[in-house]
């Protein structure tokens, strides 16, 4: 006979047994552990948990193991190595998604929106990686679930929850430029109560790539984060989650100013404070029915001071305060085995107070409703229908629908397709900004203040020439329609290939344009709706396991991003270029390179090695970026000449980790070949060497 023993979490045991009919046998059986490895669970694409392989809305998942393998300590370091994402420096470190600028992806922290953008960019360096369980990225409009600001997609930072009776972790990293990152995490559970405390300190002396100037390329800074999370299980049906996040960043640098022929050295001190509090109560009255009530509040403030070193005289001061409040309720209900319905709604209130805002203070509010049906009509087919309606105090109601499908064509072949609409409301700065740079002298006015502000400049003789009349009507929300078609192919157990074709059609895109030239030869800017812009292309990822110890990965994005109005003007012979001989001629269609700061070709290369016996793990990663438009050289405001491009480049990162239980030691190099360009790439500090030690209790 063959005795077969199976148990979940253990290897199956087969034991030959010889026995007669009346025999009694005594056997000792030992089962070896073999935990079942399930696909990771994601929640961002549908607001409900699904295995990552089985969600119709494709979600890129970066696990805590991936983050550790990269040696990443800040969010920007995590995202820059993901296919289809381009991390750029523009008023902070932001991320482009499918050709959209950092203004357009929505960043969530445990499902709640993060505020505090500067000129549209949410600085990714504000977020520590030490307490992240995983990062989920959904590309393309996701306004059908998350409303405004999700026009390009969503990046959701999911932090850890308390689970162990006691656990503690200390982590540290020291790097070039006297940079340090130190974090601590303590986890406790006692009966129904759970508590996780996370603290992080990140600091650097900054760096200077151009010694000819007084001001540094990147100033010295200190960033402190405190993030406690509390959970409480009232009973088997009701639980509470309460999370507080405190973040404070200070920066110091020096700069110079010349006035009346005298040059003065200034101290530039900036402080940013970010506070958020979220409360969530989940109630499951019976199987298949769940309701979640969420309350969320956030406040972001900055203070900037310029002080003359010689006499400690305050030259200028700028203050900014943004407040955000949201209440939301969500219901989930199953209907049979084929439908999961999700619906809900809520209220959002926002307020901005700043010296650069007209009247010093502005506010708005909105109401929203959303609904979704996850339908599985066949074992091989999953469909998702979702829609959200936002009724904003400053604009008409806006409906954002989306449909997505997953088709399991073969056990090794899956097809995903989606179509949806997104929108983004104008920001406070685009509506109410009233700012003149005290050092350079240029001005920027929002659409509600531009008429009055421009008239005041004209009446005081500060306008030399008007280039463009301000928009007669208030700017409208930006709108998009997006289409995605992707294939997941796994022809062999050790090989996985993914392709995704995307197209985004955007209308009423908001951009700045000069409307006048001042008597000091500086310009006056305001905001306008550009009629049509589109981005389209292909994303591809290949992952192959060469052996149990060696894995390779390749990512590639082909991107085509253009202004449809410019394309039409070129086709009609209405756009001209100035030649070297001083003559002008019509721009040819083949010369137009699309939107600035977008690479047609970009990608990444990854190799991971692990040696189980020595507990050694290593990764080599390459970030590849093709040439991209940098600056207009012939004054026609489009990208159409070779000298308007910057060459492409590659960055190579290396990380080694070794476990010396209970310690983990890490060595790494970022930008291995010391790529720098102080003029065009000031965000690249050159080669960064670092070492780190982690201790787990």
């Amino acid at each position: 006979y063959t005795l077969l023993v199976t148990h979940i979490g253990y290897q199956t045991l087969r034991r030959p047994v010889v026995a007669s009919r009346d025999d009694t046998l005594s056997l000792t059986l030992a089962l070896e552990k073999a935990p079942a490895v399930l696909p990771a669970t994601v929640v961002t694409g549908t607001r409900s948990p699904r295995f990552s392989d089985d969600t119709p809305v494709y979600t890129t998942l970066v696990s805590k193991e991936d983050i550790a393998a990269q040696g990443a300590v800040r969010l920007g370091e995590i995202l820059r190595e993901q296919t289809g994402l381009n991390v750029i420096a523009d008023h902070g470190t932001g991320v482009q998604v499918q050709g959209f600028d950092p203004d357009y992806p929505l960043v969530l922290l445990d499902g709640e929106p993060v505020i505090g953008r500067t000129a549209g960019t949410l600085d990714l360096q504000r977020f520590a990686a030490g307490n992240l369980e995983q990062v989920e990225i959904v590309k393309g409009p996701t306004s059908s679930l998350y409303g405004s600001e999700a026009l390009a997609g969503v990046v959701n930072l999911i932090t850890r929850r308390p689970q162990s009776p006691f656990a503690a972790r200390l982590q540290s990293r020291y790097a070039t430029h006297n940079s340090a990152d130190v974090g601590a995490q303590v986890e406790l559970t006692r009966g129904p109560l759970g508590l996780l405390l996370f603290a992080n300190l990140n600091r650097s002396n900054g760096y200077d790539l151009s010694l000819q100037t007084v001001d540094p390329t990147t100033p010295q800074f200190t960033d402190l984060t405190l993030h406690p999370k509390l959970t409480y299980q009232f009973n088997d049906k009701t639980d509470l989650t309460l999370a507080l996040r405190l973040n404070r960043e200070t920066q110091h640098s020096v700069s110079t100013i010349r006035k009346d022929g005298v040059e003065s050295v200034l101290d530039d001190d900036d402080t940013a404070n970010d506070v958020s509090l979220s409360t969530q109560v989940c109630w499951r009255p019976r199987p298949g029915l769940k309701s979640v009530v969420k309350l969320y509040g956030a406040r972001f403030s900055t203070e900037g001071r310029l002080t003359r070193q010689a006499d400690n005289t305050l030259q200028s001061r700028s203050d900014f305060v943004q407040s955000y409040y949201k209440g939301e309720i969500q219901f989930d209900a199953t209907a049979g085995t084929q439908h999961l319905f999700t619906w809900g709604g809520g209220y959002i209130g926002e307020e901005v107070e700043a010296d650069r805002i007209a009247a010093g203070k502005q506010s708005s509010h909105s109401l929203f409703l959303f609904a979704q049906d996850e339908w599985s009509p066949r074992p091989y087919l999953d469909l998702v229908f979702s829609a959200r309606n936002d009724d904003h105090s400053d604009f008409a109601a806006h409906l954002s629908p989306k449909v997505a499908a997953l088709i399991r064509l073969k056990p090794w072949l899956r097809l995903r397709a989606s179509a949806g609409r997104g929108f983004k409301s104008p920001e406070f700065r685009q509506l109410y900004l009233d700012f003149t740079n005290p050092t350079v002298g240029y001005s920027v006015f929002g659409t509600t203040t531009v008429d009055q502000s421009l008239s005041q400049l004209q009446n005081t003789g500060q306008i030399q020439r008007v280039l463009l009349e301000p928009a007669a009507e208030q700017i409208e929300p930006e709108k998009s329609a997006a289409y995605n078609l992707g294939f997941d192919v796994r022809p062999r157990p050790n090989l996985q290939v993914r392709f995704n074709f995307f197209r985004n059609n955007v209308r009423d895109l908001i951009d700045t344009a000069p409307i006048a030239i001042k008597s000091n030869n500086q310009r006056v800017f305001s905001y306008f709706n550009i009629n049509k812009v589109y981005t389209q292309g292909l994303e591809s990822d290949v992952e192959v396991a060469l052996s149990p110890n060696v894995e390779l990965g390749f990512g590639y994005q082909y991107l085509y991003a253009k202004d449809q109005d410019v394309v039409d003007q070129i086709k009609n012979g209405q756009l001209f270029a100035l030649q070297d001989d001083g003559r002008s001629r019509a721009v040819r269609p083949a010369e137009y390179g699309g939107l600035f700061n977008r690479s047609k070709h970009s990608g990444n290369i990854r190799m991971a090695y692990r040696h189980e016996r020595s507990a050694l793990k290593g990764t080599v990663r390459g970030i590849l970026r093709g040439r991209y438009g940098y600056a207009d050289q012939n004054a026609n405001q489009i990208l159409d000449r070779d000298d308007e491009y910057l060459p492409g480049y590659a960055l190579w990162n290396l990380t080694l980790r070794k476990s010396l239980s209970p310690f983990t030691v890490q060595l790494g190099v970022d930008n291995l070949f010391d790529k720098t360009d102080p003029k065009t790439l000031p965000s690249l500090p050159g080669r960064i060497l670092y070492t780190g030690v982690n201790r787990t209790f």
Side-chain angles (χ1 to χ4, degrees):
Y1 299 91
T2 297
L3 180 64
L4 186 69
V5 183
T6 64
H7 193 288
I8 292 176
Y10 292 84
Q11 294 182 15
T12 297
L13 176 68
R14 288 179 171 83
R15 174 73 64 85
V17 176
V18 177
S20 298
R21 178 170 182 173
D22 296 328
D23 286 352
T24 299
L25 302 180
S26 177
L27 302 175
T28 299
L29 306 175
L31 303 185
E32 295 185 10
K33 288 185 177 181
V37 180
L38 299 177
T41 301
V42 295
V43 68
T44 307
T46 58
R47 278 183 174 248
S48 60
R50 297 186 69 118
F51 288 137
S52 58
D53 292 343
D54 289 321
T55 174
V57 181
Y58 183 78
T59 303
T60 301
L61 176 66
V62 186
S63 67
K64 61 183 179 183
E65 291 79 14
D66 297 329
I67 296 171
Q70 288 181 223
V73 295
R74 313 305 287 181
L75 178 59
E77 300 171 24
I78 299 171
L79 298 185
R80 66 165 41 98
E81 297 191 12
Q82 307 306 313
T83 302
L85 303 185
N86 181 27
V87 174
I88 63 173
D90 182 10
H91 294 86
T93 304
V95 61
Q96 286 182 348
V97 180
Q98 291 188 346
F100 286 96
D101 273 333
D103 307 45
Y104 298 96
L106 174 65
V107 178
L108 303 174
L109 181 64
D110 290 325
E112 300 294 354
V114 180
I115 64 171
R117 295 176 181 264
T118 302
T121 297
L122 185 70
D123 189 4
L124 305 177
Q125 298 307 102
R126 285 165 46 192
F127 304 97
N131 67 332
L132 293 180
E133 184 69 24
Q134 62 193 46
V135 178
E136 298 179 9
I137 304 161
V138 176
K139 301 170 188 173
T142 320
S143 297
S144 62
L145 292 178
Y146 299 103
S148 180
E149 295 192 17
L151 188 145
V154 172
V155 177
N156 192 6
L157 316 180
I158 298 177
T159 60
R160 298 175 189 171
R161 294 174 60 88
Q163 294 179 336
S164 300
F166 172 80
R169 186 167 182 257
L170 299 177
Q171 52 199 49
S172 62
R173 188 175 95 164
Y174 182 78
T176 306
H177 305 305
N178 197 24
S179 301
D181 187 275
V182 181
Q185 183 173 276
V186 178
E187 180 179 347
L188 297 166
T189 58
R190 292 292 184 272
L193 181 66
L195 177 64
L196 191 146
L197 299 173
F198 173 74
N200 176 263
L201 174 66
N202 182 262
R203 69 160 311 279
S204 174
N205 282 354
Y207 58 90
D208 193 0
L209 300 178
S210 180
L211 300 180
Q212 291 77 24
T213 59
V214 173
D215 52 321
T217 305
T218 292
Q220 68 180 46
F221 68 87
T222 300
D223 185 286
L224 177 64
T225 299
L226 299 175
H227 195 164
K229 179 181 287 188
L230 177 73
T231 61
Y232 190 82
Q233 188 83 32
F234 291 100
N235 50 52
D236 59 353
K237 297 180 180 180
T238 309
D239 60 77
L240 166 72
T241 301
L242 183 67
L244 173 68
R245 180 177 182 270
L246 305 170
N247 175 259
R248 179 180 177 87
E249 182 182 89
T250 58
Q251 291 187 4
H252 173 76
S253 65
V254 294
S255 59
T256 59
I257 185 175
R258 180 175 292 275
K259 187 175 182 181
D260 299 329
V262 179
E263 186 175 88
S264 301
V265 180
L266 304 178
D267 284 322
D268 188 351
D269 294 287
D270 297 279
T271 302
N273 292 290
D274 183 7
V275 181
S276 62
L277 176 64
S278 63
T279 304
Q280 175 179 297
V281 177
C282 182
W283 180 45
R284 302 173 182 85
R286 60 181 177 82
L289 180 62
K290 182 177 75 171
S291 63
V292 180
V293 177
K294 301 178 182 179
L295 297 175
Y296 176 71
R299 184 180 188 271
F300 178 81
S301 63
T302 62
E303 178 184 312
R305 290 174 176 266
L306 279 173
T307 307
R308 192 193 304 268
Q309 281 190 355
D311 54 10
N312 204 32
T313 303
L314 183 66
Q315 292 294 111
S316 67
R317 172 177 173 171
S318 62
D319 296 279
F320 174 87
V321 179
Q322 180 183 3
S323 301
Y324 181 98
Y325 310 97
K326 187 182 78 164
E328 178 183 310
I329 186 168
Q330 175 179 322
F331 300 94
D332 295 341
T334 58
T337 60
Q338 295 185 343
H339 293 274
L340 171 60
F341 294 105
T342 301
W343 71 98
Y347 170 87
I348 297 173
E350 295 183 80
E351 184 177 277
V352 168
E353 186 174 355
D355 46 19
R356 298 181 179 183
I357 293 292
K361 188 175 183 179
Q362 299 290 340
S363 63
S364 67
H365 64 269
S366 62
L367 296 170
F368 63 91
L369 298 171
F370 61 89
Q372 178 179 264
D373 179 19
E374 299 176 62
W375 180 30
S376 300
R378 295 289 186 272
Y380 59 84
L381 177 63
D382 285 351
L383 300 173
V384 175
F385 303 93
S386 58
R388 170 167 163 153
N389 186 76
D390 288 83
D391 190 358
H392 198 278
S393 59
D394 293 334
F395 309 99
H398 192 88
L399 180 66
S400 304
K402 184 173 184 177
V403 59
L406 170 64
I407 306 175
R408 303 171 185 85
L409 300 173
K410 298 286 184 180
W412 51 270
L413 177 62
R414 300 184 180 207
L415 180 148
R416 285 184 177 88
S418 67
R421 291 173 55 188
F423 83 105
K424 183 176 183 297
S425 299
E427 301 173 15
F428 280 103
R429 64 186 176 92
Q430 295 165 338
L431 295 172
Y432 304 109
L433 188 64
D434 188 348
F435 170 67
T436 297
N437 185 285
T439 304
V440 181
Y442 67 87
S443 299
V444 187
F445 301 128
T447 57
T448 62
T449 64
V450 62
D451 285 333
Q452 180 179 353
S453 299
L454 184 61
S455 296
Q456 290 177 353
L457 293 179
Q458 289 175 315
N459 294 336
T460 55
Q462 298 184 52
I463 296 299
Q464 180 186 128
R465 180 159 54 101
V466 175
L467 303 175
L468 186 66
E469 290 297 331
E473 299 179 0
Q474 184 172 300
I475 51 177
E476 296 292 326
E478 299 163 296
K479 309 172 187 68
S480 72
Y483 311 91
N484 286 267
L485 177 64
F487 298 88
D488 286 359
V489 185
R490 194 186 287 270
R492 300 169 58 184
N494 67 332
L495 176 63
Q496 183 172 5
V497 182
R498 176 181 173 267
F499 298 95
N500 182 61
F501 300 90
F502 63 88
R503 167 84 181 200
N504 297 288
N505 297 321
V506 187
R507 58 191 177 94
D508 297 328
L509 192 72
I510 299 174
D511 200 1
T512 57
I515 62 172
I517 298 177
K518 303 174 75 173
S519 55
N520 60 0
N521 291 322
Q522 293 297 324
R523 297 186 177 188
V524 178
F525 297 88
S526 190
Y527 297 92
F528 296 86
N529 286 114
I530 298 175
N531 193 25
K532 295 178 182 177
V533 168
Y534 66 87
T535 72
Q536 63 184 21
L538 163 70
E539 295 173 352
S540 176
D541 274 297
V542 179
E543 296 180 0
V544 55
L546 300 181
S547 72
N549 297 328
V550 180
E551 296 178 355
L552 287 178
F554 305 91
Y556 170 72
Q557 178 181 255
Y558 175 80
L559 176 65
Y560 206 65
K562 292 195 172 184
D563 185 333
Q564 185 62 53
D565 287 348
V566 172
V567 172
D568 294 339
Q569 290 175 29
I570 293 176
K571 188 182 299 183
N572 297 328
Q574 298 173 328
L575 265 179
F576 298 89
L578 189 65
Q579 302 181 104
D580 294 335
D581 60 6
R583 298 181 181 180
S584 63
R585 61 168 178 81
V587 177
R588 292 184 286 269
E591 294 176 315
Y592 178 44
L595 304 181
F596 285 94
N597 203 15
R598 273 82 168 173
S599 294
K600 182 176 291 187
H601 305 282
S602 62
N604 55 70
I605 300 174
R606 311 174 297 276
M607 184 179 74
Y609 170 80
R610 61 179 176 270
H611 191 273
E612 297 293 346
R613 183 174 298 177
S614 63
L616 177 66
K617 298 179 181 180
T619 61
V620 178
R621 293 104 55 208
I623 305 169
L624 315 175
R625 185 177 186 188
R627 73 168 192 164
Y628 56 97
Y630 177 69
D632 175 31
Q633 300 290 353
N634 57 1
N636 63 359
Q637 300 184 20
I638 68 168
L639 178 61
D640 64 333
R641 287 186 7 173
D642 283 341
D643 61 354
E644 296 178 340
Y645 288 89
L646 290 180
Y649 59 88
L651 303 176
W652 293 92
N653 303 329
L654 169 66
T655 304
L656 295 174
R657 290 171 57 86
K658 182 172 176 59
S659 178
L660 302 169
S661 185
F663 293 94
T664 301
V665 180
Q666 186 177 75
L667 298 174
V669 184
D670 285 348
N671 195 358
L672 182 63
F673 298 105
D674 199 24
K675 165 69 177 176
T676 60
D677 190 335
K679 182 178 179 181
T680 60
L681 288 171
S683 60
L684 284 183
R687 183 185 298 113
I688 299 294
L689 306 176
Y690 63 86
T691 181
V693 178
N694 298 341
R695 170 71 159 94
T696 301
F697 301 86

